[in-house]
């Protein structure tokens, strides 16, 4: 550990065509390993999708900038927040939801590797808008009336504590905490700690009633206070998220869960709001989709508990599935610093959010170039533009992102014309503490397998589909 050396070099290349070539050398991934041999999964559950619900261009674009991806308590929110929000007019509008039962009651929940709490709205919840004003319950647009804790035979309250979470886009929830049996794809975890919020500021989709967070205990949001407004780092009561409970209850042989997110098709959206074939969430091994030989296992990057910056020093803590991106490679990428060791793998975010300079350099390579829309802070691109190649180098291996993931119909303007945005957007300047995101745009191209016990992630390039 602690061996990553970063050397910055500025060199002039060629006398005739003198140009600056900025390189950030990251020592060749001393911590990367041969890809772990991953067994087939013991349990798999398919993802389901839904049609978009947002009609205004503004709403659609704003939605792309925000959803799960929790803030580290007391630290800055990840650059752009995450998003699972469906986008009107998009043919890539997946929400990665799975069927789950809690206390024997059926729900569809969002799967999020960018946060750690499992929660389901509690029956009788009070809905609020994002400014905190009370609104009618149907405004929260949950898919069910919520968990009825009274009729669950397995629900047990956790007295005198509270759940309080705010996501990157400003959605927030608070309320009681309890324990219940959570079953998903043949995996059944008993006595799982869950939030059962009664105060919900949520921009739902009419399908989901909550979310399953699969990141680390340090990101959980239960506090030792009956008053959720008194939640703080000092009274946080970290607990095992769902998958770590499954491991400790020996419900899986191997401590892996694995995600294959299929890109959706236009056809599916037009003809059928539900598509059972949007990939898999799998437990105990690798998700069951065809893959190539390109694979690597890398350690999860930890954070210093004091500075909140990436650190490998003793006492550093895991929050997100953060990886060291050694480089993004695309035409012209050697002119910018592309290495970044504070980038998370987040199923709860639709787009990639990369450092400003990387996004600018990549956007310029579309033909015609993508341009930054000042209203939305997003790169807009001609829907028929030629897409430059884009690869992500992690652990010495190069993972290719399909061109189809880099142009996303994001809504229609007032005249009914389709507006497209790029899949790889500006996540803010590359300064200390800013967290960047490899979202579904990247994750459509790999199987990502997470081992929260060893603190490792295995990425495997998928066969083209
Ligand atoms: C998920 O649940 C819904 C509603 O209970 C059901 O109609 C659907 O078939 C389920 N999907 C899968 C893939 O099990
Ligand atoms: C919860 O708080 C109440 C009031 O402070 C107290 O009487 C009770 O013993 C507490 N319960 C638990 C389980 O700590
Ligand atoms: C909550 O804090 C009280 C002291 O204020 C302590 O007695 C209790 O054990 C704590 N509860 C938990 C679950 O840690
Ligand atoms: C959550 O806790 C914060 C303090 O950490 C507080 O400002 C906020 O009001 C709480 N949210 C809810 C919904 O209680
Ligand atoms: C992460 O990258 C920054 C910026 O290059 C560097 O200063 C820092 O030492 C790196 N941290 C780790 C743990 O690699």
């Amino acid at each position: 550990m602690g061996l990553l050396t970063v050397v910055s070099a500025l060199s002039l290349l060629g006398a005739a065509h003198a140009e600056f070539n900025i390189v950030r050398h990251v020592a060749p991934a001393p911590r990367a390993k041969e890809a772990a041999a991953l067994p087939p999964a013991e349990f798999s559950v398919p993802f389901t999708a839904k049609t978009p619900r947002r009609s205004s261009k503004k709403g659609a674009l704003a939605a792309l900038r925000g959803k799960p991806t929790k803030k580290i308590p007391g630290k800055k929110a990840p650059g752009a927040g995450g998003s699972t929000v469906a986008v009107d007019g998009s043919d890539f509008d997946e929400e990665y939801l799975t069927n789950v039962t809690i206390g024997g009651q059926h729900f569809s929940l969002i799967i999020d590797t960018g946060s750690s709490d499992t929660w389901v709205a509690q029956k009788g919840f009070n809905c609020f808008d994002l400014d905190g004003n009370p609104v009618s319950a149907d405004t929260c647009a949950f898919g069910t009336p919520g968990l009825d804790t009274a009729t669950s035979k397995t629900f047990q309250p956790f007295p005198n504590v509270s759940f309080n979470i705010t996501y990157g886009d400003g959605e927030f929830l608070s309320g009681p905490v309890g324990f219940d049996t959570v079953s998903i794809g043949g995996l059944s975890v008993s006595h799982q700690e869950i939030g059962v919020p009664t105060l919900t500021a949520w921009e739902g989709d009419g399908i989901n009633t909550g979310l399953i967070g699969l990141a680390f205990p340090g990101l959980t949001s239960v506090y030792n206070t009956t008053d959720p407004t008194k939640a703080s780092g000092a009274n946080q009561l970290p607990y095992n998220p769902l998958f770590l409970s499954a491991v400790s209850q020996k419900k899986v042989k191997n401590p892996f869960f694995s995600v294959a997110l299929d890109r959706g098709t236009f056809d599916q959206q037009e003809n059928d709001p539900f598509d059972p074939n949007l990939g898999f969430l799998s437990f105990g091994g690798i998700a069951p989709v065809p893959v190539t030989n390109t694979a690597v296992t890398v350690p999860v990057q930890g954070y210093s508990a004091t500075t909140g910056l990436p650190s490998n020093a003793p006492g550093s803590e895991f929050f997100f599935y953060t990886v060291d991106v050694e480089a993004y490679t695309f035409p012209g990428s050697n002119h910018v610093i592309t290495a970044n060791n504070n980038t998370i793998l987040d199923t709860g975010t639709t787009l990639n959010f990369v450092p400003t300079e990387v996004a600018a350099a990549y956007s310029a390579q579309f033909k015609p170039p993508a341009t930054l829309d000042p209203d939305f802070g997003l790169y807009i691109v001609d829907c028929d533009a030629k897409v430059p190649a884009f690869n992500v180098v992690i652990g010495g291996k190069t993972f290719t992102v399909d061109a189809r993931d880099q142009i996303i119909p994001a809504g229609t303007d007032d005249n009914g014309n389709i507006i497209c945005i790029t899949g790889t957007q500006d996540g803010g300047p590359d300064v200390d503490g800013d967290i960047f995101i490899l979202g579904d745009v990247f994750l459509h191209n790999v199987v990502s397998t997470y081992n929260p016990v060893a603190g490792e992630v295995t990425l495997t390039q998928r066969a083209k589909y």
Side-chain angles (χ1 to χ4, degrees), residues 14-30:
H17 303 91
E19 55 184 359
F20 289 104
N21 191 29
I22 303 169
V23 182
R24 185 186 290 183
H25 295 284
V26 178

Side-chain angles (χ1 to χ4, degrees), residues 116-136:
S116 298
D117 298 282
T118 292
W119 63 266
V120 61
Q122 186 174 163
K123 192 177 172 193
F125 64 85
N126 295 300
C127 179
F128 290 80
D129 66 21
L130 299 194
D131 298 323
N133 306 306
V135 290
S136 70

Side-chain angles (χ1 to χ4, degrees), residues 10 137 142 157 170 215 236 267 272 288 293 306 324 367 372 445 452:
L10 188 66
F142 289 117
Q236 185 194 9
D267 225 35
D272 182 6
N293 290 328
T306 47
D324 268 348
K367 291 190 173 68
L372 197 56
N445 299 279

Side-chain angles (χ1 to χ4, degrees), residues 163-398:
F163 175 62
N164 170 335
I165 193 168
T166 301
Y167 293 102
D169 66 347
E171 290 177 298
F172 59 91
L173 309 115
S174 72
V177 180
F179 302 90
D180 211 336
T181 302
V182 179
S183 302
I184 173 171
L187 177 70
S188 188
V189 175
S190 56
H191 204 69
Q192 173 60 40
E193 189 165 336
I194 57 172
V196 285
T198 46
L199 185 163
T200 62
W202 188 247
E203 301 192 319
D205 51 29
I207 304 273
N208 82 72
T209 309
L211 181 147
I212 289 188
L214 292 166
F216 289 90
L219 266 190
T220 55
S221 311
V222 170
Y223 302 91
N224 189 356
T225 168
T226 47
D227 177 357
T229 65
K230 302 232 156 63
S232 75
N235 58 16
Q236 185 194 9
L237 297 171
Y239 65 92
N240 270 351
L242 181 71
F243 184 69
L244 282 172
S245 299
V247 171
S248 72
Q249 291 176 18
K250 301 195 164 40
K251 296 289 170 66
V252 282
K253 282 203 214 74
N254 303 298
F256 314 126
F257 68 90
S258 184
V259 176
L261 304 180
D262 289 5
R263 71 179 70 84
T265 63
F266 189 72
D267 225 35
Q268 172 256 315
Q269 185 203 307
E270 291 295 282
N271 301 314
D272 182 6
F274 292 94
D275 184 347
N277 288 313
L278 271 182
F280 299 95
L281 169 64
S282 299
F283 301 102
I286 188 167
V289 297
V291 295
T292 70
N293 290 328
T294 301
V296 73
T297 297
V298 291
V300 173
Q301 176 64 61
Y303 291 86
S304 156
T306 47
T307 65
L309 298 176
S311 166
N312 305 315
S316 64
E317 212 189 323
F318 294 137
F319 292 106
F320 299 103
Y321 293 100
T322 306
V323 293
D324 268 348
V325 172
E326 280 157 40
Y328 294 103
T329 59
F330 51 84
S333 57
N334 57 336
H335 300 290
V336 283
I337 290 170
T338 63
N340 184 276
N341 59 16
N342 202 356
T343 301
I344 69 172
L345 301 173
D346 186 8
T347 59
T349 294
T350 304
L351 305 174
N352 294 334
F353 287 95
V354 300
T356 299
E357 291 191 1
V358 179
Y362 181 60
S363 301
Q365 297 293 328
F366 284 73
K367 291 190 173 68
T371 54
L372 197 56
D373 182 313
D375 289 348
F376 308 115
L378 289 167
Y379 280 95
I380 308 278
V381 71
D382 187 307
C383 297
D384 300 316
K386 187 161 179 290
V387 176
F390 188 83
N391 306 296
V392 185
V393 184
I394 295 174
K397 296 283 158 103
T398 299

